[in-house]
Amino acid sequence: MNKEVIKGSQNYIPVEIEDYPTTGWQKFKQVVRRSLGKELFVGLWVVLREMLKFNIHTVQYPEEVLPLPSRYRAVHKLLRLLESGNERCIGCGLCEKICIADCIRMETKEENGRKVVSEYSINLGRCIFCGYCAEVCPELAIVHGSRYENASEQRAHFVLKDDMLTPIDFLKEQKEFDGFGAVSPNADKLIKKTPLAY
Amino acid sequence: MDLGIFIFQTLIKILLVLLIFSALAGFTTYIERKVLAFMQRRLGPMYVGPFGLLQILADGIKLFTKEDIIPTNAIKPIFKVAPVILPVSAFVAFTGVPILPDIQIGDTTFQFLIVDSDVGVLFVLGVMAVGMFSPLLAGIASSNKWSLLGGARTAIQLLSFEVVTGLSILAPLMLVGSLNLIDINNYQIEHGWLIWQQPIAFVLFLIAGYAETNRTPFDLLEHEAEVVSGYATEYSGMRWGLFFIGEYVNMYIVSFLVVLIFLGGFGEGTLLDGLCYLAKVLFFIFLFLWTRAAWPHVRPDQLMWLTWKVLMPLAVINIVVTGLLVI
């Protein structure tokens, strides 16, 4: 049948498909091979081998959590400057403008000659997690965090300014955002060439 | 023996069988979920209790407290009584199975076998086969097309596999010359395990046993992919649970029978023999779970093809050859 060698560096394995039996004798041989030969007992052996190896793939979710790639777009965070601990947000309003779901609102006021953001909220009921706000932000202040467990009693949870802003005590644990288009750390390994036989 | 003591002893034994095997049926569901999970690289139930052991309890509470729904168009008396038939027939069949060898304490012998009948094998297989009425009636009475299909498949399975069960076991019985399970067991002390003399009968009986207990690869009655849940589609709560207690008790009966008839049973009845006996039974329970993890289901037409065109001729040939050798 179709046993073309697929070119390229990737390890695709072509499946071998035997010809279907046409005569009675061939059908009989197939039945014997399947019931007495490899197929039934190989199946038994494979599952037993997996049981003995005990190579369990289960992630026991609430206790164990898989790491998220840096491009993941979960609930937003507002970051602080690492040196001074001041809020990065300068209240420019670009995120509010670019938001296509129209869900970001901010209030600003003047304090000691500086523009200060007093209120900042994202309506998660409308947010489509497109990531434009994080992309447009000139100060890398609003970013997407990795908080995807957002079941809550109220829609407004997580998304008021106090919820999103890094608490000043946890400044050291604040992780820098890799950038909106950042690839995951193991991206090189995951890449495969498309199998095209040029 | 005094009649009063006899009745008292029998009642105790019945109670023991009932309690032990309804508990074991529940525990086997847990073992099944774990074994299937390990074979599929999963962990299975883990949250309720240590290693999910209390999952059985949680399932029990769920089954007992769930609403018992009876569909409007169902034939109510039959719908209600159908789930009872399977566990009742299974437990009654168990009275003919010696679950442990006799125990000698001082001068008195304590016999674990409840009904020491001279037609033991016939009794057990016959009463077990009555259990097939349960899915049949349930499927017909539910007024649901999936249930009806499941019920129809019960009839197919009954017609196909009872023949093989009977014929396959005939050859070893001809060698032994008795239908008493204890006699069969004692015969193997002298002549060695019957599996060496009757390997074909062993395989046929095992296959037929899988069909009798509705286990993969012959669980057509409740093929999820084809007929939703087959005969049990309309059942909920403890009525559904009864079907499953019956199914798991039947698994134990088939395992006990296979070990007793073909694998030497409990031999001479020493402690070591008794332990070996239980270990062999547990291996066959494991085999039920193992095949479930590995093998696909068969279609009803494949089942009938297999039975009538392959297994039955094999069984008949086996009987003829055995008969010639015995003569």
Side-chain angles (χ1 to χ4, degrees):
Chain A
M1 298 278 285
N2 184 16
K3 282 174 192 165
E4 262 178 66
V5 181
I6 300 170
K7 287 170 193 164
S9 59
Q10 66 285 339
N11 46 3
Y12 287 95
I13 302 168
V15 181
E16 284 186 24
I17 302 169
E18 290 173 17
D19 294 328
Y20 287 109
T22 44
T23 62
W25 175 241
Q26 283 173 337
K27 280 182 189 169
F28 176 75
K29 279 198 293 186
Q30 191 186 41
V31 167
V32 171
R33 196 171 59 242
R34 283 185 175 172
S35 52
L36 301 178
K38 313 177 266 188
E39 300 194 7
L40 276 182
F41 297 99
V42 165
L44 281 180
W45 162 241
V46 166
V47 288
L48 186 70
R49 185 188 65 202
E50 292 308 322
M51 184 175 159
L52 296 178
K53 269 196 207 162
F54 209 68
N55 180 17
I56 301 293
H57 291 237
T58 305
V59 178
Q60 289 180 279
Y61 164 61
E63 285 96 40
E64 300 168 27
V65 178
L66 288 178
L68 284 178
S70 43
R71 289 176 77 166
Y72 195 84
R73 303 199 292 267
V75 175
H76 310 68
K77 282 197 295 195
L78 277 173
L79 301 187
R80 287 178 186 271
L81 286 170
L82 288 173
E83 294 87 2
S84 59
N86 288 335
E87 293 167 27
R88 286 190 192 175
C89 182
I90 52 171
C92 64
L94 276 176
C95 49
E96 205 178 5
K97 283 259 172 9
I98 204 166
C99 179
I100 52 177
D102 202 15
C103 63
I104 300 180
R105 284 289 174 277
M106 62 168 76
E107 272 177 23
T108 51
K109 61 183 180 190
E110 202 193 313
E111 218 174 83
N112 304 330
R114 282 179 68 96
K115 198 177 185 185
V116 171
V117 184
S118 56
E119 289 296 335
Y120 190 101
S121 74
I122 298 175
N123 182 351
L124 275 197
R126 297 176 64 104
C127 179
I128 59 166
F129 296 94
C130 62
Y132 281 6
C133 49
E135 192 175 14
V136 80
C137 184
E139 300 289 316
L140 284 180
I142 178 115
V143 298
H144 277 294
S146 55
R147 184 173 190 175
Y148 51 84
E149 290 160 326
N150 43 9
S152 170
E153 287 167 0
Q154 285 192 15
R155 202 180 269 186
H157 286 172
F158 312 120
V159 283
L160 297 178
K161 191 183 167 197
D162 290 342
D163 299 321
M164 289 190 287
L165 192 61
T166 313
I168 192 80
D169 306 339
F170 292 95
L171 192 57
K172 279 183 184 167
E173 290 164 32
Q174 176 178 296
K175 270 193 258 167
E176 203 52 46
F177 184 50
D178 281 348
F180 178 66
V183 292
S184 31
N186 57 346
D188 285 346
K189 278 184 196 165
L190 295 177
I191 261 178
K192 273 185 180 177
K193 280 183 190 168
T194 321
L196 290 174
Y198 288 122
Chain B
M1 202 195 324
D2 191 16
L3 186 68
I5 295 174
F6 173 73
I7 291 177
F8 180 70
Q9 270 198 354
T10 310
L11 281 179
I12 293 279
K13 282 190 273 188
I14 288 172
L15 205 64
L16 270 179
V17 165
L18 202 60
L19 288 180
I20 291 175
F21 283 96
S22 42
L24 262 183
F27 189 64
T28 315
T29 57
Y30 169 78
I31 297 288
E32 170 159 28
R33 291 170 69 175
K34 276 291 187 190
V35 168
L36 283 181
F38 293 156
M39 287 181 169
Q40 294 160 356
R41 295 182 184 165
R42 296 183 287 117
L43 275 172
M46 282 299 276
Y47 287 103
V48 197
F51 303 106
L53 263 170
L54 295 179
Q55 186 71 43
I56 318 156
L57 199 71
D59 284 347
I61 293 171
K62 184 201 79 176
L63 281 179
F64 272 106
T65 51
K66 222 173 167 183
E67 189 189 351
D68 178 27
I69 299 168
I70 298 170
T72 321
N73 292 329
I75 306 163
K76 289 187 183 61
I78 302 180
F79 185 87
K80 283 179 184 169
V81 90
V84 184
I85 301 173
L86 191 64
V88 164
S89 75
F91 280 117
V92 171
F94 233 121
T95 57
V97 180
I99 49 173
L100 278 176
D102 298 352
I103 292 178
Q104 199 103 32
I105 304 167
D107 290 339
T108 50
T109 323
F110 189 75
Q111 199 183 21
F112 273 94
L113 182 56
I114 299 171
V115 182
D116 192 3
S117 157
D118 280 342
V119 287
V121 179
L122 271 191
F123 174 75
V124 174
L125 287 178
V127 176
M128 228 180 103
V130 171
M132 275 289 189
F133 274 108
S134 188
L136 186 62
L137 293 178
I140 293 171
S142 289
S143 93
N144 175 318
K145 58 183 169 185
W146 308 120
S147 304
L148 189 62
L149 283 172
R153 286 172 172 208
T154 318
I156 290 179
Q157 203 147 318
L158 188 72
L159 287 177
S160 308
F161 266 96
E162 280 310 318
V163 182
V164 181
T165 320
L167 287 180
S168 66
I169 213 167
L170 203 55
L173 291 180
M174 278 157 62
L175 287 176
V176 179
S178 167
L179 286 167
N180 190 327
L181 280 167
I182 304 286
D183 285 351
I184 297 174
N185 176 55
N186 293 340
Y187 172 87
Q188 294 176 72
I189 300 174
E190 291 174 35
H191 297 85
W193 291 2
L194 270 170
I195 184 177
W196 309 126
Q197 297 172 44
Q198 292 288 342
I200 296 174
F202 168 74
V203 173
L204 294 184
F205 186 72
L206 201 59
I207 294 174
Y210 278 62
E212 288 229 16
T213 48
N214 318 328
R215 300 291 302 182
T216 316
F218 304 114
D219 64 339
L220 318 166
L221 277 60
E222 33 166 345
H223 226 230
E224 293 88 359
E226 290 170 11
V227 288
V228 186
S229 191
Y231 63 91
T233 309
E234 291 291 353
Y235 282 89
S236 60
M238 207 50 213
R239 283 187 208 281
W240 182 85
L242 282 175
F243 280 125
F244 277 77
I245 292 176
E247 182 179 324
Y248 282 93
V249 173
N250 270 336
M251 273 165 63
Y252 274 97
I253 297 179
V254 168
S255 307
F256 271 109
L257 278 185
V258 168
V259 172
L260 269 173
I261 299 174
F262 292 102
L263 290 170
F266 47 77
E268 288 164 22
T270 59
L271 184 64
L272 188 67
D273 284 343
L275 288 178
C276 281
Y277 179 51
L278 291 185
K280 281 183 271 186
V281 169
L282 288 182
F283 170 77
F284 278 98
I285 294 289
F286 177 72
L287 193 66
F288 271 111
L289 315 180
W290 191 6
T291 48
R292 183 171 173 193
W295 290 349
H297 313 269
V298 298
R299 290 197 309 264
D301 64 309
Q302 288 171 332
L303 174 89
M304 294 178 81
W305 173 85
L306 180 72
T307 327
W308 289 106
K309 287 192 176 169
V310 181
L311 299 186
M312 201 192 67
L314 268 178
V316 172
I317 292 169
N318 191 34
I319 290 169
V320 172
V321 172
T322 313
L324 288 175
L325 287 178
V326 167
I327 292 166

